[in-house]
Amino acid sequence: MAHGRRTRNPPRPVVGIAGLGYMGLATALAFAHRRVPTVGYDIRPELRQRLRSGRSLIYEKGLLPLLRSEVRSHRFGVVDGWTELVRQATVIFLCLPSPRGPTGRIDLGPIEQGVRELGGALRGGTEFRLVVMKSTVVPGTTESIVRPLLEQVAGRDSATLGVASNPEFLAEGSMVHDALDPERIVVGVSGTREARLLRSVYRDFPSPLVVLTPTEAELVKYSSNAFLALKVTFANEISRVAERVGGDIDRVMDGVGRDSRVGPKFLSAGPGFGGSCFEKDVAALTERARELGVPVPLLGQLVPANGAQTRHAADLVREAVGGLEGTSIALLGLAFKAGTDDVRESRAVPIAEELVRAGATLRVHDPAALDNFRTIWGQREPGGPDGLVFCTTVEEALDQADAAVIQAAWPAYRRWLPRWSRLMRRPLVVDLRRALPERLRHRGDFEWVGLGVGRAGEGTQAPARGPVP
Ligand code: UGA
């Protein structure tokens, strides 16, 4: 380079995002925020219309202000079809749903449909395009299903059409943060051109890029979720021991997690993991291993072990109340965790069913997920227990209740007001997340029972003495 000339980064390729659900939208806005021109497309016309005017369909912390600022900056725009997406964008990320299918396998229907439409739009083009699989798909899918289907429909080959994998690690409730500032970016590529393009779109992200093959990248995604689910399940099992021997699971796990080989995160015991990812991904990985003839006994136990913890949570409520027949229980927190309106696989569903089946009337509340919960509760298989009272305030849920059960640790519940205790027939809080801070637990205006917390003198047994040598 000639002396004195300033180095300048070449302009970034335009990014296209196909599918503007939770993950697609957060990803699109993160690119836009990092100064990458981004266009998005979704098959739902009303969603496209809302997004254009800076309104979103989902509740996610920080998403709305980011959407508004990136729409205003014109770095994020919404197009009305695949053809326009392909015309404008060089790197196209597929953020399409991969729901659970029968037998634990994922249902590739929505992805195959999207790939077909994208392939049709790519037909006849000569400029290089890179299609990146962001949806969670079992290892091997990008190379053995997506690439051949796309090449066949588009009538193009790797000379002008690249295919790569780039799994996402966004957690609901912290999606915006996770998308803007990921701990690592994993890309799976089979050529240098693909790697170069992905490096270029991620240039301004402050995160290390881990470059693997597409199949390895897909396996990283599944392994990460399975490992996190394993950590949670491990903490849940130890929490049951802590209840019996006496002790507080959070203090125990703090002691365990300070070992950097273990790490402190995802050791918070609760009613079992929920959400759209852990169970689905563990089941899909287990099923894929089974198809390949690979024994994975540990993975195979995770979902049943999680179910056992949910049943334990319901038992804890039954024991604390002392029989549920004819009682009124306030179930607080219906989302699969605090900070989201998402109720997919929420433990609130099996817990509510169990409590109603045992004879309780339930008064349910959530600051964000009440409507979504009403919808999935109504969509359950016929024949299940019914009869919930949907409450729009905590006070309404607590009115004359025999106990309050905290299923999701929303900040609103953590400050437990003395007048809330006075509203209840019996001021008893069964805290499945240990959401209430320690100083409130002993305030005296209510009785507190925490999952994973052994009560002094109850069930606490001295260890059996071995023979003295
Ligand atoms: C999870 C992963 O954390 C993300 O990295 C991943 O990208 C995402 O799945 C996905 O595959 O799309 P998410 O399901 O949004 O994210 O939520 P998590 O925060 O992982 O929580 C999952 C479940 O585990 C929740 O029910 C939560 O309450 C429970 N959990 C989590 C615990 O019970 N204890 C913990 O210590 C942590």
Side-chain angles (χ1 to χ4, degrees):
M1 183 185 296
H3 180 74
R5 231 162 77 197
R6 285 173 54 200
T7 43
R8 290 189 54 201
N9 283 322
R12 238 104 37 116
V14 173
V15 156
I17 303 285
L20 295 169
Y22 283 93
M23 184 263 284
L25 184 58
T27 303
L29 297 176
F31 277 122
H33 188 77
R34 296 275 176 217
R35 295 191 290 280
V36 182
T38 304
V39 286
Y41 169 64
D42 192 284
I43 49 170
R44 293 168 285 180
E46 80 285 2
L47 174 63
R48 301 200 297 266
Q49 207 38 49
R50 283 183 80 95
L51 293 176
R52 278 196 187 103
S53 56
R55 291 171 303 146
S56 160
L57 279 181
I58 52 176
Y59 170 93
E60 180 63 39
K61 193 171 70 191
L63 195 72
L64 212 53
L66 188 62
L67 171 65
R68 293 197 174 137
S69 82
E70 295 314 323
V71 167
R72 247 193 331 263
S73 74
H74 298 291
R75 280 186 302 236
F76 171 65
V78 178
V79 295
D80 278 324
W82 289 99
T83 311
E84 191 54 22
L85 189 77
V86 163
R87 196 183 65 77
Q88 291 195 31
T90 302
V91 184
I92 298 152
F93 289 83
L94 294 179
C95 302
L96 303 171
S98 53
R100 188 179 178 151
T103 75
R105 297 174 92 177
I106 56 168
D107 173 6
L108 276 178
I111 288 176
E112 285 177 348
Q113 171 75 15
V115 169
R116 279 207 177 82
E117 288 179 21
L118 173 61
L122 284 163
R123 235 186 142 74
T126 50
E127 279 178 56
F128 190 83
R129 291 290 180 265
L130 174 60
V131 175
V132 187
M133 193 62 187
K134 225 181 206 316
S135 315
T136 300
V137 288
V138 289
T141 305
T142 300
E143 280 299 340
S144 60
I145 296 177
V146 174
R147 182 193 290 280
L149 182 62
L150 192 66
E151 288 184 352
Q152 183 217 325
V153 180
R156 293 165 66 165
D157 63 22
S158 56
T160 63
L161 188 55
V163 175
S165 158
N166 172 215
E168 55 88 17
F169 303 100
L170 315 180
E172 287 178 31
S174 59
M175 278 201 158
V176 169
H177 167 267
D178 297 350
L180 286 173
D181 196 359
E183 281 190 337
R184 84 294 204 194
I185 295 165
V186 174
V187 297
V189 289
S190 45
T192 48
R193 189 170 194 177
E194 286 83 355
R196 196 161 23 86
L197 272 170
L198 283 167
R199 273 189 204 288
S200 157
V201 295
Y202 279 119
R203 197 171 64 205
D204 280 354
F205 285 72
S207 323
L209 209 68
V210 181
V211 183
L212 307 169
T213 67
T215 300
E216 285 168 344
E218 290 163 336
L219 189 52
V220 168
K221 167 71 193 192
Y222 274 92
S223 313
S224 299
N225 272 2
F227 193 73
L228 294 172
L230 178 74
K231 282 187 90 174
V232 172
T233 306
F234 178 80
N236 286 341
E237 289 201 357
I238 301 297
S239 80
R240 304 210 288 266
V241 180
E243 283 168 16
R244 295 303 287 272
V245 297
D248 180 327
I249 186 63
D250 291 325
R251 286 150 40 115
V252 173
M253 283 302 142
D254 180 51
V256 174
R258 280 171 195 263
D259 183 334
S260 65
R261 292 171 300 178
V262 177
K265 295 184 181 167
F266 276 70
L267 291 176
S268 184
F273 57 74
S276 64
C277 305
F278 280 4
E279 185 172 330
K280 172 179 78 110
D281 293 353
V282 169
L285 183 58
T286 309
E287 178 59 17
R288 183 72 189 120
R290 201 191 57 75
E291 286 168 358
L292 295 166
V294 180
V296 284
L298 177 65
L299 288 177
Q301 278 308 307
L302 271 178
V303 173
N306 193 48
Q309 178 68 2
T310 307
R311 285 192 296 281
H312 172 71
D315 288 344
L316 191 72
V317 177
R318 187 183 297 118
E319 276 164 33
V321 179
L324 291 166
E325 189 60 51
T327 59
S328 170
I329 307 289
L331 181 59
L332 306 180
L334 307 170
F336 80 92
K337 63 175 183 181
T340 174
D341 64 352
D342 195 343
V343 292
R344 286 175 290 176
E345 304 297 334
S346 169
R347 301 294 89 193
V349 175
I351 289 173
E353 285 193 326
E354 198 47 46
L355 301 184
V356 173
R357 207 175 281 123
T361 303
L362 283 197
R363 303 174 68 79
V364 301
H365 173 265
D366 189 286
L370 195 64
D371 288 341
N372 286 345
F373 191 77
R374 202 196 306 264
T375 306
I376 54 156
W377 187 256
Q379 287 168 345
R380 288 167 314 131
E381 302 263 305
D386 221 328
L388 304 193
V389 182
F390 292 86
C391 304
T392 50
T393 64
V394 183
E395 286 83 355
E396 201 185 329
L398 293 178
D399 191 25
Q400 293 303 306
D402 294 291
V405 178
I406 300 181
Q407 193 286 138
W410 283 98
Y413 305 144
R414 304 184 94 109
R415 60 200 171 109
W416 198 268
L417 302 172
R419 68 182 160 81
W420 289 359
S421 303
R422 290 197 294 272
L423 286 171
M424 301 174 73
R425 192 154 50 202
R426 174 180 171 193
L428 163 66
V429 178
V430 184
D431 193 345
L432 302 180
R433 305 274 187 175
R434 297 162 314 288
L436 301 196
E438 281 209 57
R439 65 189 160 76
L440 292 191
R441 297 177 189 173
H442 312 292
R443 196 171 58 192
D445 55 307
F446 61 94
E447 192 189 341
W448 185 84
V449 173
L451 181 144
V453 181
R455 284 186 281 181
E458 195 181 290
T460 309
Q461 284 163 7
R465 285 244 175 93
V468 180

